[in-house]
């Protein structure tokens, strides 16, 4: 008899996965019919199974095709299918852990309540006799508690004492013990205050764990008549707001009365908030891609940090970065719908790099599509005739050289709405999710599909659900809890490393930038032309004269007007189809051809009086702009250029001077950011 062939590493992982799958299914079946006394044991089994699934997942990630003793067909596909199965098992176990854990908490709290009620039932007569005294004591206690609450919220009371132990729940929280004195630097409306301990460590602490020291109460009562409420510290210096955490945008959200009215009337779920990322975009150019596309100066401001000339290849140096990823937005599921009094103009996802307190990149927007029969599901990158509009492209590149250990991608789902009664427009966040890009040991997260559960509120709020009514309607049984968890809104994204060819192209871009994969070749042209103008053709490196170059002066505007970017993509695609193979290999020829295409396509449109100003999520304006763009591109192709169109008496263009066509690199460069 021939010996049985030994299983390869992948087969062993697959067999282990099937065993775990059977155990998970059995555990789920037992949980559905479990009695309260069995749930603690099931919870322990569930956590053990979850660890085993994680171990098998790690073993799968460590596998290589070269480790197989014999050739394996469709190795990558089998490995990917196995990864999906393990991810599904992990999610099922995570949901089961939450359900069983919640059942245990409910059981314990019910037991405590029964324990408290038992003695009272036996001593009912004594309670009736002493009820009047207790009521008066309770009233006095409530009044004292109210006074303490008011004193705790007083902005002049900066020292507080911890009334209990608190362990940091996540990065940015401050751990403390009962009795510890904390110095409060900022009392936030969401109940998480910025505090400092005796060691000088700062972080967020929950207000409910704090109280005013007794000495502070007495001194406050003695000097109450002489206190003038001012926003100053004891030494007279002003308390500065946390600009690093974008609290200006959060404050604008908190002061938005319109959303509060919509929430109160039930027009939107309680977890919706005004969009924080939209607020940041409205504040200026700081978080726009047009700003991050510009070169960055070194700390000495004597050279460019991310734009260096390569004299051997006669072009700019490629610059690899710590973070270089392709993120694909796949779908959003179970997104709550606003009420009938609100008209939705746009559904979209805004994403940026985030470290828990600061936005570290530009904010990129991708518009979602949806079907009327299933409006709670959003999808991306739909099939269209011709090229896919860049605004709908779900494939996004992410680049950053930030050294932050907490860096990740912040996803904010949003809608642009219009109130039917008042006609008022606004931007709402329908939830957010954060995907950390590095583990605690500094290892990049694996390339795979991620299912991110959305949180409500803003990224600076904790424990807020997108739609709290889902949890309230859920029953106490395991099955009802499972159904409740399945109704929670989620975002599906796929993270992968770029191919060698894509990485070579991305390395010509700025060190920090997020954008659509569909137009990276156009961004590279701009950076190469920028390098020529600043590093090769400038008469002197000390010269700060204006550079007369319409492409450099106007191209960044296209990043804020995606329909014009699509027009340039169309025009360049038409030009590429006419190029010979030898011409496609000549970088200098390609750059000159790109400049000609730019002048014959989008540049005249930027100055045209027929093109309406770009307005976000206004369908009539978007259709009107696209008609003007389409007609112009059609005539430009027919006439072999835009010259006849520009000289025609039928067309008018807004007046401009030479300064609008000149590139002022000192006015455009980004300041060096030490945090990156």
């Amino acid at each position: 008899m021939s010996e049985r062939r030994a299983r390869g590493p992948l087969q062993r992982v697959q067999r282990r996965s099937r065993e775990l799958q059977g155990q998970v299914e059995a555990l789920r079946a037992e949980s559905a019919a479990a009695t309260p006394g069995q749930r603690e044991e099931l919870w322990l089994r569930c956590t053990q199974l979850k660890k085993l699934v994680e171990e098998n997942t790690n073993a799968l990630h460590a596998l290589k095709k070269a480790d197989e003793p014999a050739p394996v067909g469709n190795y990558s596909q089998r490995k990917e299918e196995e990864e999906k199965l393990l991810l599904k098992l992990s999610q099922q176990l995570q949901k089961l852990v939450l359900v069983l854990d919640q059942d245990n908490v409910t059981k314990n709290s019910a037991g405590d309540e029964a324990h408290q009620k038992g003695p009272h039932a036996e001593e009912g007569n004594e309670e009736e006799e002493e009820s009047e005294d207790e009521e008066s004591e309770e009233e006095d206690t409530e009044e004292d508690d109210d006074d303490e609450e008011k004193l705790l919220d007083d902005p002049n009371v900066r020292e507080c004492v911890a009334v209990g132990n608190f362990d940091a729940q996540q990065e940015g929280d401050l751990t403390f013990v009962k009795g510890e004195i904390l110095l409060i630097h900022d009392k936030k409306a969401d109940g998480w205050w910025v505090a400092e301990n005796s060691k000088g460590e700062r972080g967020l602490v929950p207000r409910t764990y704090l109280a005013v020291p007794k000495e502070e109460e007495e001194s406050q009562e003695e000097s109450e008549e002489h206190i003038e409420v001012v926003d100053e510290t004891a030494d007279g210096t002003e308390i500065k707001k946390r600009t690093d955490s974008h609290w200006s945008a959060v404050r604008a959200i908190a002061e938005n009365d319109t959303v509060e009215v919509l929430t109160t009337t039930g027009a939107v779920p309680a977890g919706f908030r005004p969009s924080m990322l939209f607020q940041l975009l409205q504040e200026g150019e700081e978080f726009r891609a047009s700003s991050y596309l510009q070169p960055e100066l070194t700390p000495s401001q004597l050279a460019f940090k991310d734009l260096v000339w390569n004299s051997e290849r006669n072009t700019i140096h490629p610059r690899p970065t710590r973070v270089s990823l392709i993120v694909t937005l796949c779908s959003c599921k179970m997104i709550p719908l606003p009420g009938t009094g609100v008209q939705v103009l746009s559904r979209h996802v805004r994403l940026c790099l985030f470290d828990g307190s600061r936005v570290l990149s530009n904010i990129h927007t991708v518009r979602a599509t949806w079907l009327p029969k299933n409006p709670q599901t959003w999808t991306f990158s739909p099939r269209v005739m011709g090229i896919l509009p860049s605004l709908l492209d779900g494939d996004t590149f992410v680049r950053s050289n930030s050294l932050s250990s907490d860096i990740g991608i912040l996803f904010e789902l949003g809608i642009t709405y219009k109130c039917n009664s008042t006609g008022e427009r606004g931007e709402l966040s329908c939830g957010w999710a954060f995907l950390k890009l590095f583990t605690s040991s500094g290892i990049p997260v694996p390339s795979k599909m991620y299912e991110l559960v959305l949180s409500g509120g803003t990224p600076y709020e904790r424990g807020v659900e997108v739609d709290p009514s889902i949890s309230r309607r859920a029953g106490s049984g395991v099955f009802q809890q499972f159904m409740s968890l399945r109704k929670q809104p989620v975002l599906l994204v796929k993270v992968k490393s770029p191919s060698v060819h894509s990485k070579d192209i991305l390395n010509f871009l700025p060190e920090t930038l997020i954008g659509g994969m569909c137009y990276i070749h156009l961004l590279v042209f701009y950076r190469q032309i920028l390098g020529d103008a600043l590093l090769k053709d400038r008469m002197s490196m000390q010269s700060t004269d204006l550079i007369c170059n319409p492409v450099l002066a106007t191209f960044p505007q296209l990043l804020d007007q995606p329909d014009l970017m699509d027009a340039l993509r169309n025009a360049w695609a038409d030009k590429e189809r006419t190029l010979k193979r030898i011409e496609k290999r000549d970088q200098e020829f390609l750059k000159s051809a790109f400049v000609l295409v730019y002048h014959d396509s989008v540049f005249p449109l930027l100055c045209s009086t027929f093109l309406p100003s770009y307005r976000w999520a206004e369908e009539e304006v978007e259709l009107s702009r696209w008609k003007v763009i389409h007609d112009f591109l059609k005539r430009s192709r027919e006439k072999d250029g835009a010259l006849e169109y520009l000289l025609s008496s039928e067309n008018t263009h807004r007046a401009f001077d030479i300064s609008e066509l000149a590139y002022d690199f000192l006015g455009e460069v980004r300041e060096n950011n030490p945090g990156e």
Side-chain angles (χ1 to χ4, degrees), residues 125-242:
N125 295 331
E126 294 179 8
E127 283 186 354
E128 291 177 3
E129 294 174 359
E130 299 174 359
S131 61
E132 294 181 0
D133 295 336
E134 289 180 354
E135 285 177 5
S136 61
E137 289 176 4
E138 287 174 2
E139 289 175 0
D140 294 337
T141 304
E142 287 174 2
E143 290 177 2
D144 293 338
D145 290 343
D146 291 341
D147 292 339
E148 289 180 6
E149 289 292 314
K150 291 177 182 177
L151 189 57
L152 183 61
D153 290 332
D154 192 321
N156 294 291
V157 177
R158 301 188 60 221
E159 283 193 358
C160 293
V161 62
V163 297
N165 299 332
F166 174 78
D167 294 323
Q169 298 175 359
Q170 62 182 52
E171 294 291 335
D173 292 351
L174 180 65
T175 300
F176 55 81
V177 296
K178 183 178 180 180
E180 187 174 354
I181 300 296
L182 300 174
L183 181 63
I184 306 301
H185 288 279
D186 209 348
K187 298 185 177 183
K188 299 298 178 184
D190 62 359
W192 287 87
W193 293 356
V194 181
E196 181 179 350
N197 60 19
S198 58
K199 300 177 184 177
E201 299 170 339
R202 287 196 183 191
L204 294 172
V205 299
R207 175 190 177 281
T208 52
Y209 278 68
L210 304 177
V212 179
K214 294 299 181 182
E215 295 179 1
E216 185 74 18
E217 289 182 25
E218 294 172 2
S219 63
Q220 182 74 6
E221 290 173 1
E222 291 174 1
S223 59
E224 187 175 1
E225 296 179 359
H226 307 287
I227 290 177
E228 180 183 357
V229 180
V230 291
D231 194 16
E232 295 183 353
T233 57
D235 59 358
T237 56
E238 291 186 2
I239 300 174
K240 296 188 177 180
K241 303 299 180 184
R242 292 180 64 202

Side-chain angles (χ1 to χ4, degrees), residues 567-585:
L568 181 58
R569 290 171 58 207
N570 263 311
W572 179 248
D574 291 342
K575 179 65 177 177
E576 272 192 317
R577 282 192 283 268
T578 65
L579 297 178
K580 300 176 182 178
R581 184 176 299 177
I582 191 172
E583 292 173 336
K584 292 181 179 180
R585 295 175 181 173

Side-chain angles (χ1 to χ4, degrees), residues 22 131 171 182 297 320 339 352 435 469 560 588 606-607 654:
S131 61
E171 294 291 335
L182 300 174
L297 290 173
C352 62
L435 176 61
S469 64
D560 299 325
E588 293 301 317
L606 286 169
C607 303
R654 63 177 178 81

